[in-house]
Amino acid sequence: MSLKIRLARAGTKKRPVYHIVIADSRSPRDGRFIERLGYFNPLLPKEKTERIRLDLDKVKAWMAKGALPTDRVARFLDEAGVMKREKRNNPTRAIPRKQRKAMAEEAEKAAAAAKAAAAAAKAAAPAS
């Protein structure tokens, strides 16, 4: 049974509040969970201490048992100093798909031209 520390949505329509729970990875997002570890209110400003509440002792205990946090919960744990989360970098994500495709085609053409030039230079070198 793989355990996840993840968010379960609560609250009303357009007013979300999330419970941070430990659950089996196969159970639905808002379904059965094992234990509630805290909550997260995204509507509050980031400066407020009531925005996120975590029981760090329980989180550490569950992580010692093999529970893995989801990406969003890993951010919270990184801010709390419980675990280190590597920063992601995907610079091409902001570029539209058509431009990315054109850039990839240009790179392929340049690589093919460089390979042909290298082959031509190699063929010319032994002849002299």
Side-chain angles (χ1 to χ4, degrees):
M1 175 168 76
S2 69
L3 298 173
K4 290 279 188 182
I5 303 173
R6 65 182 184 196
L7 299 175
R9 187 179 163 129
T12 61
K13 181 176 166 184
K14 298 188 180 183
R15 306 277 303 162
V17 175
Y18 294 92
H19 299 284
I20 300 170
V21 298
I22 181 83
D24 183 3
S25 63
R26 297 169 293 185
S27 63
R29 179 192 71 181
D30 301 334
R32 189 173 68 185
F33 61 91
I34 299 168
E35 187 175 7
R36 191 170 141 195
L37 306 175
Y39 65 85
F40 168 58
N41 187 349
L43 298 177
L44 292 176
K46 292 186 178 184
E47 307 85 48
K48 293 264 188 174
T49 58
E50 301 88 35
R51 180 179 165 94
I52 183 165
R53 181 68 42 115
L54 271 170
D55 188 345
L56 296 178
D57 294 332
K58 288 182 182 179
V59 170
K60 289 177 186 175
W62 279 107
M63 287 181 72
K65 293 176 187 175
L68 297 172
T70 57
D71 290 339
R72 177 60 57 179
V73 174
R75 284 182 185 216
F76 300 150
L77 297 177
D78 185 32
E79 290 173 14
V82 174
M83 68 175 289
K84 181 70 178 145
R85 178 182 164 271
E86 294 298 323
K87 191 167 189 174
R88 294 183 175 186
N89 185 17
N90 189 0
T92 60
R93 183 168 185 237
I95 301 172
R97 182 176 290 157
K98 286 183 181 178
Q99 271 184 310
R100 277 187 287 186
K101 194 172 183 181
M103 287 170 49
E105 289 173 358
E106 288 175 19
E108 285 179 19
K109 287 179 184 176
K115 188 175 181 181
K122 187 176 180 182
S128 43

